[in-house]
Amino acid sequence: MNWFTFGDHLTKRLYIILKLTGIWWLFNVPYAFLGMKLLAAPDVASVHTIFTIGMVLLPFVAIPATVATLAIARRFMKDDDAFPFLQVFWKSYKREYRKSMILGCLNAMMAVVLYLALQYYAGMSLLLTIVFYTLLIVTPFFFLFVYSFLVDQELPLQAYLINTIFLLLMHPLNAILVILALMITTYILWVAFSPLLIFIFPGLAALIVTYFYQKSMGAEIKKRQPVHNLNANH
């Protein structure tokens, strides 16, 4: 790969990251207002109110937008940039809104339950504190894989959860790597120039999650191919 090809490849990646981030924020305007309110919050009670509003909006605003953004990331990984960006996003947003809202409600409820459990057991048991703290961290990453399944396959709602658990158990390394990749990316962007978290992170995160999801799915499909070929020969 020469420098011109590398530069062209890098430019395409940066361009799609900016587009993904832009469309994600366009459908998450309420969170932009909440962010400004958070910066100007006068006391702890105001901060709690803002976070509560954010959690309530999560299934209806953030999750559907995230699902549609993952659909775009999947399409980009598959077809590069030769597709109608806005049309694919809007079509996926409308088609998957109901499912993403239901899964988003489950996501929000699990986060709230784990947070309350963590607060309750914090002073009682160190082991339980570690368990609930770990689950609270892992849950968002788990659901990002669930949403990747949602834009990849047409399944009953419970099947997305079951298949995601199966996929992560079969390919734990990819599960660990996606968590590390997103955490390291967040740290680097924060240290380098914190506004990059706003302008780059949503789109970059969508590509990272999609990459590891497709890597896990590809490995699973490849593992099953010899079985299908053997059955075909018989």
Side-chain angles (χ1 to χ4, degrees), residues 4 13 17 42-43 49 52 85 91 104 114 122-123 134 163 172 207 215 218 221 223:
F4 179 79
R13 287 291 187 274
I17 287 170
D43 49 44
T49 301
T52 301
F85 184 90
K91 183 178 179 181
L114 289 171
T134 302
N163 286 0
L207 291 179
K215 189 176 180 182
I221 292 170
K223 187 169 64 176

Side-chain angles (χ1 to χ4, degrees), residues 71-212:
I72 290 287
R74 173 182 174 273
R75 186 71 180 267
F76 176 76
M77 292 287 195
K78 183 179 179 182
D79 301 326
D80 200 25
D81 57 351
F83 64 92
F85 184 90
L86 291 175
Q87 183 180 340
V88 172
F89 182 94
W90 182 240
K91 183 178 179 181
S92 177
Y93 187 88
K94 290 190 298 180
R95 184 181 66 243
E96 308 298 353
Y97 186 86
R98 180 178 169 275
K99 285 184 177 180
S100 61
M101 182 185 66
I102 295 172
L103 290 170
C105 286
L106 180 60
N107 188 348
M109 285 189 293
M110 283 186 64
V112 170
V113 169
L114 289 171
Y115 174 77
L116 293 176
L118 178 62
Q119 295 298 310
Y120 180 78
Y121 288 107
M124 297 173 60
S125 169
L126 178 60
L127 178 60
L128 287 175
T129 300
I130 294 171
V131 169
F132 284 115
Y133 191 76
T134 302
L135 289 174
L136 191 61
I137 293 174
V138 169
T139 296
F141 299 104
F142 168 77
F143 274 95
L144 284 173
F145 262 68
V146 173
Y147 304 141
S148 297
F149 248 117
L150 178 59
V151 300
D152 186 37
Q153 299 182 24
E154 188 68 30
L155 300 168
L157 281 172
Q158 65 273 19
Y160 292 116
L161 300 170
I162 295 169
N163 286 0
T164 299
I165 292 171
F166 174 80
L167 188 67
L168 295 178
L169 289 176
M170 291 297 101
H171 305 279
L173 180 59
N174 287 334
I176 294 170
L177 288 176
V178 74
I179 294 173
L180 290 176
L182 290 175
M183 286 185 167
I184 292 170
T185 299
T186 302
Y187 177 76
I188 291 173
L189 292 177
W190 176 261
V191 171
F193 186 52
S194 55
L196 290 176
L197 286 170
I198 298 173
F199 298 110
I200 289 181
F201 183 74
L204 183 56
L207 291 179
I208 290 172
V209 171
T210 300
Y211 170 78
F212 283 105

